Amino acid sequence: MVVASFLVEYLRVSWVQGAAWFEETLVDMDPAINAMMWQNAGRSGIDQWNFVMSPENASQDPTGKFTLRYVPELAGLPTKHLHRPWTAPAAALAKAGVALGETYPLRVVDLAAERALSTAAVLAMRARHPRRNDAGGYDVVELPGGATTRVFTKREYRLPADDDAGRKRATPAKKGRVAKRRR
């Protein structure tokens, strides 16, 4: 999930490329789970992740044990700086023998800026397809037989209720019910 979030949210790599690479390289890959999880990471599945897996927040490695196993050059840094060594004071970096850009690479991207661009791209795509959004901004999925249903959509990806372009939105389905498609 961390890899998927980083590629999709911050590098804006298509989830299709990530899914293909995992399919080719994972020894325990399951085709259905792989496709579903990558679609969700790519904001095209019907169960979008309602969180962001940030490589900086250490939520998956609070003690730093995993990081230190694979990035031993950071062993001298205090734990609070292991996941974001560029935030460490110069004295702490020097004491640990870490030279950013030399013994440890510089950051690939500015996470906040790249995530903002990613979110804007998702909103722009959704705005191009207003009939796939209900009045509350939720995704509308067409079901067999022409009916529709709304599915979970992260708040940050919901379009505003008013559509300045005057485009029609889908009729919202009542909770637990399926709405008939409007023509």
Side-chain angles (χ1 to χ4, degrees):
M1 289 183 351
V2 172
V3 170
S5 284
F6 186 72
L7 288 175
V8 173
E9 295 274 351
Y10 302 107
L11 299 181
R12 294 186 308 284
V13 171
S14 168
W15 70 266
V16 175
Q17 291 177 300
W21 188 81
F22 268 49
E23 183 174 328
E24 183 178 318
T25 57
L26 292 179
V27 295
D28 63 345
M29 194 279 302
D30 177 280
I33 296 295
N34 189 53
M36 180 192 78
M37 295 303 283
W38 278 96
Q39 286 175 17
N40 293 343
R43 308 300 179 234
S44 60
I46 61 167
D47 184 25
Q48 298 170 6
W49 296 343
N50 196 22
F51 54 86
V52 174
M53 299 289 295
S54 171
E56 293 183 328
N57 70 11
S59 64
Q60 303 301 306
D61 183 30
T63 66
K65 184 177 177 182
F66 181 85
T67 299
L68 291 176
R69 178 177 177 188
Y70 295 100
V71 193
E73 59 267 37
L74 298 179
L77 278 180
T79 303
K80 69 180 182 177
H81 296 297
L82 285 179
H83 302 94
R84 299 184 312 154
W86 54 90
T87 65
L93 289 169
K95 183 177 178 184
V98 175
L100 299 177
E102 295 175 29
T103 63
Y104 185 83
L106 296 172
R107 295 173 67 187
V108 176
V109 295
D110 177 318
L111 295 180
E114 294 302 323
R115 185 148 192 294
L117 290 171
S118 178
T119 300
V122 170
L123 288 169
M125 180 274 306
R126 291 174 57 77
R128 288 191 303 271
H129 304 280
R131 298 196 94 168
R132 298 291 179 205
N133 302 273
D134 73 7
Y138 286 84
D139 288 331
V140 174
V141 175
E142 188 170 323
L143 302 172
T148 61
T149 189
R150 93 180 198 170
V151 296
F152 174 77
T153 305
K154 280 179 76 169
R155 183 176 309 277
E156 67 186 316
Y157 297 132
R158 295 179 202 160
L159 294 177
D162 59 332
D163 185 347
D164 294 335
R167 292 175 285 211
K168 290 187 177 183
R169 293 268 180 88
T171 303
K174 301 276 188 223
K175 189 170 184 163
R177 294 184 155 183
V178 175
K180 298 252 184 199
R181 180 175 20 170
R182 290 174 48 180
R183 295 204 183 253

